[in-house]
Amino acid sequence: KTKVAILISGRGSNMRTLIQAAKDKDYPAEIIGVFSNRADAAGLAYAQSEGIQTAVISHKDFDSRESFCEALDAQLEVWGAELLVHAGYMRIHADSFAQKWLGKMLNIHPSLLPSFKGLHPQQQALDAGVKIAGATVHEVTPELDAGPPVMQAVVPVLDSDDADTLAARILKVEHQIYPLALKQYIEKRPNNDVETADQTSLVWPN
Ligand code: GAR
């Protein structure tokens, strides 16, 4: 199995779905550790309750992005991580870190990328007046939210939506696609080519 570390900063609901999926003996990933840059990330307790090692290193204890990322990298090496899965991890990596792990990182973002990168994508979607929204699992490259999509899912935007109701609808499909996307990504990896990540899936309507 591929040794996967999950990076979180908060609630960790996507992390939960990945931990659950990885319990299947046929699932190609083993979750070997959960890292958080915040000690108060709620997801840490869940990971521990599932018997998964956790580590917390606060970015606030470092004076540069590079030095924090070096500490993160050292932890990942201790765990023997082969792939990094970002699940609500809210720090941008130093370029050197992103280059080192290039081709070995996935992220999930609650928009149909390349629309609405960065913060508050659900509010960005509402402000733009789009009628569909969704989630994207994508490879992480040094440029924020710009790596090639691996899998996407769409949901409707309702006239009655606010950012919270839209976020909740998107989160449901995030939980559907992230375990699928990770599995598919690992299974295609022997000839991994970041240019040809090609499989997408439409989760709405379901
Ligand atoms: C999820 O909606 C995820 O897509 C988003 O944060 C939330 C984390 O929830 N990630 C980003 O916005 C990354 N830029 P979770 O901690 O419950 O998985």
Side-chain angles (χ1 to χ4, degrees):
K1 294 197 179 201
T2 299
K3 294 187 167 74
V4 169
I6 302 178
L7 277 60
I8 66 171
S9 296
R11 178 177 56 189
S13 69
N14 278 290
M15 175 208 72
R16 280 180 186 232
T17 66
L18 295 165
I19 290 172
Q20 288 304 325
K23 287 184 173 177
D24 185 330
K25 67 175 177 22
D26 295 327
Y27 198 77
E30 175 193 358
I31 311 303
I32 47 101
V34 170
F35 175 87
S36 174
N37 65 306
R38 297 182 55 122
D40 62 356
L44 290 167
Y46 181 81
Q48 286 158 8
S49 76
E50 290 289 322
I52 295 171
Q53 315 177 75
T54 60
V56 176
I57 302 174
S58 173
H59 57 279
K60 292 179 183 159
D61 293 339
F62 296 82
D63 54 16
S64 72
R65 204 175 281 284
E66 285 72 20
S67 56
F68 168 67
C69 280
E70 280 169 21
L72 166 56
D73 182 63
Q75 179 63 63
L76 296 168
E77 292 295 349
V78 166
W79 282 340
E82 296 169 307
L83 271 187
L84 310 185
V85 171
H86 300 70
Y89 184 69
M90 302 306 278
R91 298 294 301 169
I92 294 170
H93 294 307
D95 258 7
S96 52
F97 181 97
Q99 289 296 345
K100 173 179 169 177
W101 288 92
L102 192 62
K104 300 174 182 173
M105 296 185 286
L106 292 180
N107 180 43
I108 192 161
H109 184 75
S111 78
L112 292 173
L113 291 172
S115 292
F116 315 133
K117 297 171 179 168
L119 293 176
H120 310 303
Q122 303 94 343
Q123 186 61 50
Q124 292 185 52
L126 293 174
D127 292 347
V130 294
K131 302 304 175 195
I132 57 171
T136 304
V137 176
H138 65 97
E139 295 208 58
V140 177
T141 58
E143 194 185 339
L144 182 68
D145 296 335
V150 172
M151 195 173 280
Q152 292 185 297
V154 299
V155 301
V157 180
L158 305 182
D159 289 345
S160 57
D161 272 333
D162 59 24
D164 289 341
T165 58
L166 179 57
R169 193 173 308 116
I170 294 170
L171 191 65
K172 278 192 191 163
V173 296
E174 292 185 45
H175 296 163
Q176 289 177 266
I177 63 171
Y178 215 176
L180 292 174
L182 175 59
K183 178 174 191 289
Q184 175 189 296
Y185 186 70
I186 289 172
E187 286 170 352
K188 286 191 172 181
R189 247 170 68 79
N191 300 308
N192 191 19
D193 175 357
V194 293
E195 300 303 324
T196 60
D198 59 2
Q199 178 104 32
T200 58
S201 83
L202 195 67
V203 172
W204 173 72
N206 60 4

